[in-house]
Amino acid sequence: MKLIEMNALKAIYAVFIISLLLASCSEDQDTRKPNILFIVADDFGYHDLSYMGSEFYETPNIDKIAEEGVVFTYGYATCQVCSPSRASLMTGMFPARHGITDWIGAKTGQEWSDSGRNTKLLPPDYEHVLNKDYTTLPEALKEGGYRTFFAGKWHIGKEGSWPEDHGFDINKGGWDSGSPIGGYYSPYTNPNLTSGPAGENLSIRLANETIDFIKSHKDTSFLAYLSFYAVHGPIQTSEEKWSKYRDKAESQGLANSGFEMESRLPIRNVQDNPVYAGLVETMDDAVGMVLEALSELGLDENTIVIFTSDNGGVASGDNYSTTNLPLRGGKGYQYEGGIREPFFIKVPGKFGQGKTNPTPVTGADVYPTILELAGLDLKPQDHADGVSLVPVLEGKSIEDRALIWHYPHYGNQGGDPSSIIRKGDWKYIYYYETELGSLYNLAKDKSEERDVAAANPELAEELKDSLFAYLESVNAKFPMEDPTYDLKKAKEQKLFRSTELLNRLETQRKNYLSKNWQPDSTWYGSKVTID
């Protein structure tokens, strides 16, 4: 009898101990800070997702983030080109404040003119590295006990100002360059990413690096910052994907033409580039791999997922890859197509699924939003232009504020040196060439076709005053006249772009869609760049 009683007591004790351990583990899971997966695409337009209305591109994995999160229908990058926007994601500041106002490497002043540019203005100088005095997002998270990981495109500083110099424990592939030097297939030309097997895809490799980090740090709280080089040029894809989208474009009915003239350059007005579509799908495949790994590891219910892009889709200049219609313009432009982005935040178990919110938000808001979601103190002295979006995620509102853009440069895509302020439904654009402004009501005119500045002079002047009050408060830099500007040459250039260049682009488009099209023999993609 005593033996039976002792065995019973041992069994009860074992159950008690196991229960305590399980409770402890459960408590650890419940109290552990959330993981963060932050995905940033490059040059990815507002309508480059099937979720956002594209009938040509297929993006089921990124769509899933939108379907399970909150979609900000007025989500913005802080600049129409990459480096300024990426610095804003790190700092929570608008470009005029942190000083990186153009993509790092762009020429300025007399060097701009000497390089063969013929423009009325000379763009001002800008900061070429991310200031180490700033407390960045990963640094703030490390203070809160997070492990931090970066994979992919950096482009906000040279060696000495790489991801590992600004708060990331691990850096896979982030360095000076803003494009995938050597292309999307191994061997790579990247000092911070060893080459994989010949033909390995860069987007898939970055996903695998991210998965390896997550697996190694599944028992900690982590920030995994997956910063794709895709879909920046050179646009490349596999033969299988090119064929799939070539056939799809044909089945949807090919338009007679794919381009029209914007103010300075031709601009694409149809989504039917099968090479670009394949590049988009491969990035989506890579996103799917990471999301699946989170699920398999049981981390998906404690991982915040954020997705956005650094600027609009490349509709003009570069590879003329996509269209952002009905939004006007694209990368490099002051219009909505240049700055409005897919902007999704998924917080598992909170804030509903597939909700849309029309609050205008910006990349500068990501920093304070992540801090609050992580249960960490905000740093308003650091993320000076960003605000936490947690109240918005909760269905509340935030104080009405002005969003500011400052791009006193000429892009490679046809945009103008300009500064922008958005407040409420109103968007005011100030042009430095003409010293005049345009005013649009975005609620009524999403394509920015009707400039109503003349009909609303007091409102236009009020917005202009607010814009320049901010710019002066942060010591923003401005362009100056180029005394060597040649008006006759400018007219000749415009004629060339509206005739010969436009015709060459149409020919290239038809070639991509031809059943007999062949890429360069060294990789499956397109090296064709039209200046």
Side-chain angles (χ1 to χ4, degrees), residues 428-474:
Y428 176 84
I429 307 173
Y430 181 82
Y431 293 92
Y432 290 101
E433 275 198 355
T434 62
E435 299 183 342
L436 298 173
S438 297
L439 181 67
Y440 301 97
N441 186 315
L442 296 178
K444 299 178 179 179
D445 180 21
K446 65 182 177 182
S447 299
E448 295 169 283
E449 296 175 334
R450 298 183 295 279
D451 178 3
V452 296
N456 299 272
E458 293 183 1
L459 176 59
E461 192 67 22
E462 177 185 336
L463 290 172
K464 177 184 175 183
D465 289 345
S466 296
L467 171 62
F468 278 90
Y470 173 85
L471 294 177
E472 290 167 7
S473 74
V474 297

Short mmCIF file of all heavy atoms in Angstrom, two decimals, residues 428-474:
data_model
loop_
_atom_site.label_atom_id
_atom_site.label_comp_id
_atom_site.label_asym_id
_atom_site.label_seq_id
_atom_site.Cartn_x
_atom_site.Cartn_y
_atom_site.Cartn_z
N TYR A 428 0.18 70.81 -52.01
CA TYR A 428 0.76 71.98 -52.67
C TYR A 428 2.19 71.64 -53.09
O TYR A 428 2.99 71.15 -52.29
CB TYR A 428 0.76 73.18 -51.72
CG TYR A 428 1.44 74.41 -52.27
CD1 TYR A 428 0.74 75.30 -53.09
CD2 TYR A 428 2.77 74.69 -51.97
CE1 TYR A 428 1.37 76.44 -53.60
CE2 TYR A 428 3.40 75.82 -52.46
CZ TYR A 428 2.69 76.68 -53.28
OH TYR A 428 3.31 77.81 -53.79
N ILE A 429 2.52 71.91 -54.36
CA ILE A 429 3.85 71.65 -54.91
C ILE A 429 4.47 72.97 -55.32
O ILE A 429 3.90 73.71 -56.12
CB ILE A 429 3.80 70.71 -56.14
CG1 ILE A 429 3.03 69.43 -55.83
CG2 ILE A 429 5.22 70.39 -56.61
CD1 ILE A 429 2.80 68.55 -57.05
N TYR A 430 5.65 73.25 -54.77
CA TYR A 430 6.38 74.47 -55.15
C TYR A 430 7.52 74.08 -56.09
O TYR A 430 8.33 73.20 -55.78
CB TYR A 430 6.96 75.17 -53.93
CG TYR A 430 7.70 76.44 -54.28
CD1 TYR A 430 7.03 77.63 -54.49
CD2 TYR A 430 9.09 76.43 -54.41
CE1 TYR A 430 7.71 78.80 -54.82
CE2 TYR A 430 9.79 77.59 -54.75
CZ TYR A 430 9.09 78.77 -54.96
OH TYR A 430 9.77 79.91 -55.30
N TYR A 431 7.58 74.75 -57.26
CA TYR A 431 8.58 74.45 -58.28
C TYR A 431 9.68 75.52 -58.25
O TYR A 431 9.39 76.71 -58.39
CB TYR A 431 7.93 74.41 -59.66
CG TYR A 431 6.97 73.26 -59.85
CD1 TYR A 431 5.61 73.41 -59.58
CD2 TYR A 431 7.42 72.02 -60.28
CE1 TYR A 431 4.72 72.36 -59.73
CE2 TYR A 431 6.54 70.96 -60.45
CZ TYR A 431 5.20 71.14 -60.17
OH TYR A 431 4.33 70.09 -60.32
N TYR A 432 10.93 75.07 -58.12
CA TYR A 432 12.03 76.02 -58.01
C TYR A 432 12.41 76.64 -59.34
O TYR A 432 12.96 77.75 -59.36
CB TYR A 432 13.23 75.34 -57.35
CG TYR A 432 12.97 75.05 -55.89
CD1 TYR A 432 12.61 73.76 -55.46
CD2 TYR A 432 13.02 76.06 -54.94
CE1 TYR A 432 12.35 73.51 -54.13
CE2 TYR A 432 12.75 75.82 -53.61
CZ TYR A 432 12.40 74.54 -53.21
OH TYR A 432 12.12 74.29 -51.88
N GLU A 433 12.14 75.97 -60.45
CA GLU A 433 12.44 76.58 -61.74
C GLU A 433 11.58 77.81 -62.00
O GLU A 433 12.07 78.84 -62.45
CB GLU A 433 12.23 75.56 -62.87
CG GLU A 433 13.40 74.66 -63.14
CD GLU A 433 13.32 73.99 -64.51
OE1 GLU A 433 12.30 74.15 -65.22
OE2 GLU A 433 14.28 73.31 -64.86
N THR A 434 10.30 77.70 -61.74
CA THR A 434 9.36 78.78 -62.06
C THR A 434 9.02 79.67 -60.87
O THR A 434 8.45 80.74 -61.04
CB THR A 434 8.04 78.19 -62.60
OG1 THR A 434 7.45 77.37 -61.57
CG2 THR A 434 8.30 77.34 -63.84
N GLU A 435 9.36 79.19 -59.65
CA GLU A 435 8.99 79.87 -58.41
C GLU A 435 7.47 80.04 -58.29
O GLU A 435 6.97 81.00 -57.73
CB GLU A 435 9.70 81.23 -58.29
CG GLU A 435 11.21 81.11 -58.28
CD GLU A 435 11.91 82.45 -58.09
OE1 GLU A 435 11.26 83.49 -58.30
OE2 GLU A 435 13.10 82.44 -57.74
N LEU A 436 6.77 79.05 -58.82
CA LEU A 436 5.31 79.01 -58.76
C LEU A 436 4.87 77.71 -58.10
O LEU A 436 5.65 76.75 -58.00
CB LEU A 436 4.69 79.12 -60.16
CG LEU A 436 4.98 80.40 -60.93
CD1 LEU A 436 4.45 80.29 -62.36
CD2 LEU A 436 4.36 81.61 -60.23
N GLY A 437 3.60 77.68 -57.67
CA GLY A 437 3.09 76.50 -57.01
C GLY A 437 1.85 75.96 -57.66
O GLY A 437 1.09 76.70 -58.32
N SER A 438 1.61 74.66 -57.48
CA SER A 438 0.39 74.00 -57.93
C SER A 438 -0.34 73.45 -56.72
O SER A 438 0.29 73.06 -55.73
CB SER A 438 0.70 72.86 -58.91
OG SER A 438 1.31 73.35 -60.09
N LEU A 439 -1.67 73.40 -56.81
CA LEU A 439 -2.49 72.94 -55.69
C LEU A 439 -3.48 71.90 -56.19
O LEU A 439 -4.16 72.11 -57.21
CB LEU A 439 -3.25 74.13 -55.07
CG LEU A 439 -4.14 73.82 -53.87
CD1 LEU A 439 -3.29 73.40 -52.66
CD2 LEU A 439 -4.99 75.04 -53.53
N TYR A 440 -3.57 70.79 -55.48
CA TYR A 440 -4.48 69.71 -55.87
C TYR A 440 -5.29 69.26 -54.66
O TYR A 440 -4.78 69.21 -53.53
CB TYR A 440 -3.70 68.52 -56.42
CG TYR A 440 -2.85 68.84 -57.62
CD1 TYR A 440 -1.48 69.11 -57.47
CD2 TYR A 440 -3.40 68.89 -58.89
CE1 TYR A 440 -0.70 69.43 -58.57
CE2 TYR A 440 -2.62 69.19 -60.00
CZ TYR A 440 -1.28 69.47 -59.84
OH TYR A 440 -0.50 69.80 -60.93
N ASN A 441 -6.54 68.91 -54.91
CA ASN A 441 -7.37 68.28 -53.89
C ASN A 441 -7.36 66.79 -54.17
O ASN A 441 -8.02 66.32 -55.11
CB ASN A 441 -8.80 68.83 -53.94
CG ASN A 441 -9.65 68.29 -52.80
OD1 ASN A 441 -9.63 67.10 -52.50
ND2 ASN A 441 -10.41 69.16 -52.17
N LEU A 442 -6.60 66.03 -53.39
CA LEU A 442 -6.40 64.61 -53.69
C LEU A 442 -7.65 63.77 -53.49
O LEU A 442 -7.77 62.70 -54.09
CB LEU A 442 -5.25 64.06 -52.83
CG LEU A 442 -3.88 64.68 -53.09
CD1 LEU A 442 -2.84 64.09 -52.14
CD2 LEU A 442 -3.45 64.48 -54.54
N ALA A 443 -8.58 64.24 -52.66
CA ALA A 443 -9.81 63.49 -52.47
C ALA A 443 -10.68 63.53 -53.72
O ALA A 443 -11.42 62.59 -54.01
CB ALA A 443 -10.60 64.06 -51.28
N LYS A 444 -10.56 64.59 -54.49
CA LYS A 444 -11.37 64.76 -55.70
C LYS A 444 -10.58 64.53 -56.98
O LYS A 444 -11.17 64.34 -58.05
CB LYS A 444 -11.95 66.18 -55.73
CG LYS A 444 -12.88 66.50 -54.57
CD LYS A 444 -13.38 67.94 -54.66
CE LYS A 444 -14.32 68.27 -53.50
NZ LYS A 444 -14.80 69.67 -53.56
N ASP A 445 -9.25 64.54 -56.88
CA ASP A 445 -8.41 64.52 -58.08
C ASP A 445 -7.15 63.70 -57.80
O ASP A 445 -6.06 64.24 -57.67
CB ASP A 445 -8.06 65.96 -58.47
CG ASP A 445 -7.18 66.05 -59.71
OD1 ASP A 445 -7.16 65.09 -60.51
OD2 ASP A 445 -6.50 67.09 -59.87
N LYS A 446 -7.31 62.39 -57.72
CA LYS A 446 -6.17 61.54 -57.37
C LYS A 446 -5.10 61.50 -58.45
O LYS A 446 -3.95 61.15 -58.18
CB LYS A 446 -6.64 60.13 -57.04
CG LYS A 446 -7.26 59.37 -58.19
CD LYS A 446 -7.73 58.00 -57.72
CE LYS A 446 -8.44 57.23 -58.83
NZ LYS A 446 -8.93 55.91 -58.34
N SER A 447 -5.46 61.86 -59.68
CA SER A 447 -4.51 61.84 -60.78
C SER A 447 -3.80 63.17 -60.98
O SER A 447 -3.01 63.32 -61.91
CB SER A 447 -5.21 61.44 -62.09
OG SER A 447 -5.77 60.15 -61.98
N GLU A 448 -4.10 64.13 -60.12
CA GLU A 448 -3.47 65.45 -60.18
C GLU A 448 -3.54 66.06 -61.57
O GLU A 448 -2.54 66.51 -62.14
CB GLU A 448 -2.03 65.35 -59.68
CG GLU A 448 -1.93 64.96 -58.21
CD GLU A 448 -0.54 64.59 -57.76
OE1 GLU A 448 -0.10 63.46 -58.07
OE2 GLU A 448 0.10 65.40 -57.09
N GLU A 449 -4.74 66.12 -62.08
CA GLU A 449 -4.99 66.67 -63.40
C GLU A 449 -5.47 68.12 -63.36
O GLU A 449 -5.40 68.83 -64.37
CB GLU A 449 -6.03 65.82 -64.14
CG GLU A 449 -5.57 64.39 -64.41
CD GLU A 449 -6.67 63.54 -65.03
OE1 GLU A 449 -7.85 63.87 -64.80
OE2 GLU A 449 -6.34 62.57 -65.73
N ARG A 450 -5.97 68.56 -62.20
CA ARG A 450 -6.59 69.89 -62.11
C ARG A 450 -5.89 70.73 -61.05
O ARG A 450 -6.11 70.54 -59.85
CB ARG A 450 -8.08 69.75 -61.78
CG ARG A 450 -8.87 68.99 -62.84
CD ARG A 450 -10.35 68.94 -62.52
NE ARG A 450 -10.64 68.19 -61.32
CZ ARG A 450 -10.72 66.85 -61.27
NH1 ARG A 450 -10.52 66.14 -62.37
NH2 ARG A 450 -11.00 66.24 -60.13
N ASP A 451 -5.03 71.61 -61.50
CA ASP A 451 -4.35 72.55 -60.61
C ASP A 451 -5.34 73.66 -60.23
O ASP A 451 -5.80 74.42 -61.09
CB ASP A 451 -3.14 73.14 -61.33
CG ASP A 451 -2.39 74.17 -60.50
OD1 ASP A 451 -2.76 74.41 -59.34
OD2 ASP A 451 -1.43 74.76 -61.04
N VAL A 452 -5.68 73.74 -58.95
CA VAL A 452 -6.69 74.70 -58.50
C VAL A 452 -6.07 75.83 -57.67
O VAL A 452 -6.75 76.48 -56.88
CB VAL A 452 -7.81 73.99 -57.70
CG1 VAL A 452 -8.56 73.02 -58.60
CG2 VAL A 452 -7.23 73.26 -56.48
N ALA A 453 -4.78 76.08 -57.86
CA ALA A 453 -4.11 77.14 -57.10
C ALA A 453 -4.73 78.50 -57.40
O ALA A 453 -4.93 79.32 -56.49
CB ALA A 453 -2.62 77.14 -57.40
N ALA A 454 -5.02 78.76 -58.68
CA ALA A 454 -5.57 80.07 -59.05
C ALA A 454 -6.95 80.29 -58.44
O ALA A 454 -7.32 81.43 -58.13
CB ALA A 454 -5.64 80.18 -60.57
N ALA A 455 -7.70 79.21 -58.25
CA ALA A 455 -9.04 79.33 -57.67
C ALA A 455 -9.01 79.39 -56.15
O ALA A 455 -10.03 79.72 -55.52
CB ALA A 455 -9.90 78.15 -58.13
N ASN A 456 -7.86 79.07 -55.55
CA ASN A 456 -7.74 79.06 -54.09
C ASN A 456 -6.44 79.76 -53.67
O ASN A 456 -5.58 79.16 -53.03
CB ASN A 456 -7.75 77.62 -53.57
CG ASN A 456 -9.02 76.87 -53.90
OD1 ASN A 456 -9.99 76.91 -53.15
ND2 ASN A 456 -8.99 76.16 -55.02
N PRO A 457 -6.29 81.04 -54.02
CA PRO A 457 -5.01 81.71 -53.78
C PRO A 457 -4.63 81.82 -52.31
O PRO A 457 -3.44 81.70 -51.96
CB PRO A 457 -5.21 83.09 -54.40
CG PRO A 457 -6.69 83.29 -54.41
CD PRO A 457 -7.28 81.94 -54.64
N GLU A 458 -5.60 82.03 -51.43
CA GLU A 458 -5.28 82.18 -50.01
C GLU A 458 -4.80 80.87 -49.40
O GLU A 458 -3.83 80.82 -48.63
CB GLU A 458 -6.51 82.70 -49.24
CG GLU A 458 -6.89 84.13 -49.61
CD GLU A 458 -8.06 84.63 -48.80
OE1 GLU A 458 -8.56 83.88 -47.92
OE2 GLU A 458 -8.49 85.78 -49.03
N LEU A 459 -5.46 79.76 -49.79
CA LEU A 459 -5.05 78.45 -49.30
C LEU A 459 -3.67 78.09 -49.83
O LEU A 459 -2.81 77.59 -49.08
CB LEU A 459 -6.07 77.38 -49.72
CG LEU A 459 -5.71 75.93 -49.36
CD1 LEU A 459 -5.53 75.76 -47.85
CD2 LEU A 459 -6.78 74.97 -49.89
N ALA A 460 -3.43 78.37 -51.11
CA ALA A 460 -2.13 78.08 -51.69
C ALA A 460 -1.02 78.85 -50.97
O ALA A 460 0.05 78.31 -50.67
CB ALA A 460 -2.13 78.42 -53.18
N GLU A 461 -1.28 80.11 -50.67
CA GLU A 461 -0.28 80.93 -49.99
C GLU A 461 -0.05 80.45 -48.56
O GLU A 461 1.09 80.43 -48.08
CB GLU A 461 -0.72 82.39 -50.00
CG GLU A 461 0.36 83.37 -49.57
CD GLU A 461 1.53 83.44 -50.55
OE1 GLU A 461 1.34 83.08 -51.74
OE2 GLU A 461 2.63 83.86 -50.12
N GLU A 462 -1.12 80.04 -47.90
CA GLU A 462 -1.00 79.53 -46.54
C GLU A 462 -0.15 78.26 -46.49
O GLU A 462 0.72 78.10 -45.62
CB GLU A 462 -2.39 79.25 -45.98
CG GLU A 462 -2.41 78.65 -44.58
CD GLU A 462 -3.81 78.27 -44.12
OE1 GLU A 462 -4.79 78.85 -44.63
OE2 GLU A 462 -3.91 77.37 -43.26
N LEU A 463 -0.39 77.35 -47.43
CA LEU A 463 0.40 76.11 -47.48
C LEU A 463 1.85 76.40 -47.84
O LEU A 463 2.77 75.78 -47.28
CB LEU A 463 -0.23 75.14 -48.47
CG LEU A 463 -1.57 74.53 -48.04
CD1 LEU A 463 -2.20 73.75 -49.18
CD2 LEU A 463 -1.40 73.63 -46.82
N LYS A 464 2.06 77.32 -48.75
CA LYS A 464 3.42 77.70 -49.12
C LYS A 464 4.17 78.25 -47.91
O LYS A 464 5.32 77.89 -47.65
CB LYS A 464 3.40 78.74 -50.24
CG LYS A 464 4.79 79.24 -50.64
CD LYS A 464 4.69 80.34 -51.69
CE LYS A 464 6.07 80.93 -51.99
NZ LYS A 464 5.98 82.07 -52.95
N ASP A 465 3.52 79.11 -47.15
CA ASP A 465 4.15 79.69 -45.96
C ASP A 465 4.51 78.60 -44.95
O ASP A 465 5.60 78.61 -44.35
CB ASP A 465 3.22 80.72 -45.32
CG ASP A 465 3.10 81.99 -46.15
OD1 ASP A 465 3.93 82.19 -47.06
OD2 ASP A 465 2.16 82.77 -45.89
N SER A 466 3.60 77.64 -44.74
CA SER A 466 3.86 76.56 -43.80
C SER A 466 5.02 75.70 -44.29
O SER A 466 5.88 75.26 -43.49
CB SER A 466 2.61 75.69 -43.63
OG SER A 466 1.56 76.41 -43.04
N LEU A 467 5.05 75.44 -45.59
CA LEU A 467 6.12 74.63 -46.17
C LEU A 467 7.48 75.27 -45.94
O LEU A 467 8.42 74.63 -45.44
CB LEU A 467 5.86 74.46 -47.68
CG LEU A 467 6.97 73.81 -48.52
CD1 LEU A 467 7.25 72.39 -48.05
CD2 LEU A 467 6.58 73.82 -50.00
N PHE A 468 7.59 76.56 -46.27
CA PHE A 468 8.90 77.20 -46.16
C PHE A 468 9.28 77.52 -44.72
O PHE A 468 10.47 77.61 -44.40
CB PHE A 468 8.96 78.44 -47.06
CG PHE A 468 9.27 78.08 -48.48
CD1 PHE A 468 8.25 77.81 -49.38
CD2 PHE A 468 10.58 77.94 -48.91
CE1 PHE A 468 8.54 77.45 -50.69
CE2 PHE A 468 10.87 77.57 -50.21
CZ PHE A 468 9.85 77.32 -51.10
N ALA A 469 8.30 77.66 -43.85
CA ALA A 469 8.62 77.82 -42.43
C ALA A 469 9.31 76.57 -41.91
O ALA A 469 10.29 76.65 -41.15
CB ALA A 469 7.35 78.10 -41.63
N TYR A 470 8.82 75.39 -42.32
CA TYR A 470 9.47 74.15 -41.92
C TYR A 470 10.86 74.04 -42.54
O TYR A 470 11.83 73.73 -41.85
CB TYR A 470 8.63 72.93 -42.33
CG TYR A 470 9.36 71.63 -42.09
CD1 TYR A 470 9.32 71.01 -40.84
CD2 TYR A 470 10.13 71.04 -43.09
CE1 TYR A 470 10.02 69.84 -40.59
CE2 TYR A 470 10.84 69.88 -42.86
CZ TYR A 470 10.78 69.28 -41.62
OH TYR A 470 11.50 68.13 -41.37
N LEU A 471 10.97 74.29 -43.85
CA LEU A 471 12.25 74.13 -44.52
C LEU A 471 13.31 75.05 -43.92
O LEU A 471 14.46 74.66 -43.74
CB LEU A 471 12.09 74.41 -46.02
CG LEU A 471 11.21 73.41 -46.79
CD1 LEU A 471 11.08 73.84 -48.25
CD2 LEU A 471 11.78 72.00 -46.72
N GLU A 472 12.92 76.27 -43.60
CA GLU A 472 13.88 77.20 -43.00
C GLU A 472 14.26 76.76 -41.58
O GLU A 472 15.40 76.94 -41.15
CB GLU A 472 13.29 78.61 -43.00
CG GLU A 472 13.19 79.20 -44.40
CD GLU A 472 12.32 80.44 -44.47
OE1 GLU A 472 11.91 80.93 -43.39
OE2 GLU A 472 12.07 80.92 -45.59
N SER A 473 13.31 76.14 -40.86
CA SER A 473 13.59 75.72 -39.49
C SER A 473 14.62 74.60 -39.42
O SER A 473 15.28 74.42 -38.39
CB SER A 473 12.30 75.28 -38.79
OG SER A 473 11.86 74.01 -39.26
N VAL A 474 14.75 73.83 -40.50
CA VAL A 474 15.71 72.71 -40.52
C VAL A 474 16.92 73.02 -41.40
O VAL A 474 17.70 72.13 -41.72
CB VAL A 474 15.03 71.39 -40.96
CG1 VAL A 474 13.95 70.98 -39.98
CG2 VAL A 474 14.45 71.51 -42.38
#
